Amino acid sequence: MSEDTRKILIEALFELVGEGKKVNIKSVADRAGLSHSVIYNRYPDLKCIIKDEQTKQSERSQRDKDRAELEKLKNKLSSAKRKSQKLQQEQESEVPALLAHIQQVYSMYDQLAEEHVEALNKLRDNQTNVKY
């Protein structure tokens, strides 16, 4: 009977693992239709195997979470790269336009400076004509 019980417990463990369900002493005992105290009292080696499987499941779960987080970060990085490229392209197309505008402003400034000098010269000429 003891060997049959052990086989039943091992089958229950494999079924839970195969189904991807959470493995612990209680879940294995419940699946086998036995009390969890049977595992504690009669099969301490199975208790260790179950604990090892719990650890493996926990590690797999953490790896899956880490992979999902990594994938999420990769997507964010790709999106940021695309936005950066788009901004760089916009800047590259705006720079020549800005330079042309600056050149136009300087040209207007030069023209105003010339007109200012001409106006000052006319004022000076008018003042000299009025005095004499």
Side-chain angles (χ1 to χ4, degrees):
M1 175 79 172
S2 177
E3 196 57 37
D4 288 339
T5 303
R6 181 179 178 77
K7 285 181 183 178
I8 291 170
L9 287 168
I10 291 172
E11 286 176 12
L13 173 63
F14 284 132
E15 286 174 8
L16 290 171
V17 170
E19 294 171 6
K21 294 189 177 177
K22 189 171 183 177
V23 173
N24 57 41
I25 292 174
K26 183 175 179 346
S27 66
V28 172
D30 287 348
R31 177 60 67 102
L34 300 168
S35 169
H36 66 282
S37 61
V38 171
I39 296 172
Y40 284 108
N41 295 331
R42 292 189 187 165
Y43 304 102
D45 62 319
L46 284 179
K47 177 182 149 195
C48 291
I49 293 170
I50 292 168
K51 292 289 184 183
D52 286 345
E53 187 56 40
Q54 273 182 297
T55 302
K56 288 177 188 176
Q57 280 186 336
S58 177
E59 289 171 353
R60 277 192 298 268
S61 175
Q62 187 60 46
R63 273 195 311 270
D64 290 345
K65 286 178 187 177
D66 291 346
R67 283 186 184 129
E69 183 65 23
L70 181 61
E71 194 61 36
K72 187 175 163 183
L73 291 173
K74 283 181 181 178
N75 290 337
K76 283 185 178 183
L77 179 61
S78 294
S79 176
K81 282 181 180 179
R82 283 191 303 274
K83 286 179 183 179
S84 175
Q85 288 173 344
K86 183 180 177 184
L87 287 173
Q88 187 175 3
Q89 288 171 348
E90 288 175 3
Q91 287 176 348
E92 288 173 356
S93 66
E94 289 177 2
V95 168
L98 288 173
L99 289 174
H101 183 70
I102 289 171
Q103 192 174 20
Q104 184 181 15
V105 168
Y106 273 118
S107 177
M108 290 169 58
Y109 173 79
D110 289 342
Q111 185 179 359
L112 285 173
E114 287 177 20
E115 289 175 6
H116 179 73
V117 169
E118 288 176 15
L120 285 176
N121 288 336
K122 284 183 183 179
L123 277 174
R124 196 177 315 127
D125 288 345
N126 284 340
Q127 284 180 351
T128 55
N129 287 340
V130 171
K131 289 184 183 178
Y132 298 112

